[in-house]
């Protein structure tokens, strides 16, 4: 029996997850937006990747970031994409540059 968790999610699958998370859990949505930015970048779609970077940054803007507890990711990966241990504007900009 194969382990379905090992199969990376498609961008369409992750976008559906993002739409479900956004109204219910903004932090989870920020993590998923980060994963979508990574996936699109890996696929060479820089324009869409930057769109997801901007979305991630908008979501993170509403969260406190004074302590490591406040910026620690809750998941180690989303859709097969590893997440950084800490997620905040500086990490996102260091990994993707300025999205504008």
């Amino acid at each position: 029996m194969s382990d379905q968790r090992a199969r990376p999610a498609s961008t369409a699958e992750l976008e559906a997850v993002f739409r479900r998370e956004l109204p219910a859990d903004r932090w989870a949505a920020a993590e998923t937006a980060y994963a979508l930015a990574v996936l699109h970048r890996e696929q060479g779609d820089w324009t869409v990747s930057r769109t997801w970077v901007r979305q991630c940054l908008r979501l993170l803007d509403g969260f406190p970031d004074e302590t490591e507890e406040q910026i620690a990711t809750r998941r180690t990966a989303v859709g097969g994409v590893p997440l950084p241990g800490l997620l905040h504007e500086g990490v996102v900009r260091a990994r993707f540059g300025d999205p504008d």
Side-chain angles (χ1 to χ4, degrees):
M1 176 185 248
S2 68
D3 183 0
Q4 290 298 316
R5 292 173 297 175
R7 180 186 65 82
S10 70
T11 55
E13 289 168 329
L14 277 187
E15 287 172 14
V17 168
F18 175 82
R19 286 190 299 275
R20 285 192 307 272
E21 289 172 343
L22 187 58
D25 187 343
R26 286 178 42 108
W27 184 261
E31 291 178 347
T32 301
Y34 176 89
L36 279 158
V38 170
L39 280 179
H40 281 287
R41 181 179 65 185
E42 287 176 352
Q43 294 171 1
D45 195 341
W46 306 104
T47 302
V48 176
S49 176
R50 289 185 133 10
T51 298
W52 284 107
V53 169
R54 284 190 295 274
Q55 179 66 38
C56 181
L57 290 171
R58 276 192 295 271
L59 289 166
L60 291 175
D61 188 45
F63 289 100
D65 60 1
E66 290 83 34
T67 68
E68 283 189 10
E69 284 182 343
Q70 293 171 327
I71 59 174
T73 52
R74 290 187 251 158
R75 301 175 283 186
T76 58
V78 173
V81 176
L83 295 177
L86 303 174
L87 187 60
H88 57 86
E89 178 183 359
V91 168
V92 175
R93 289 187 186 280
R95 297 197 179 182
F96 291 96
D98 185 7
D100 297 319

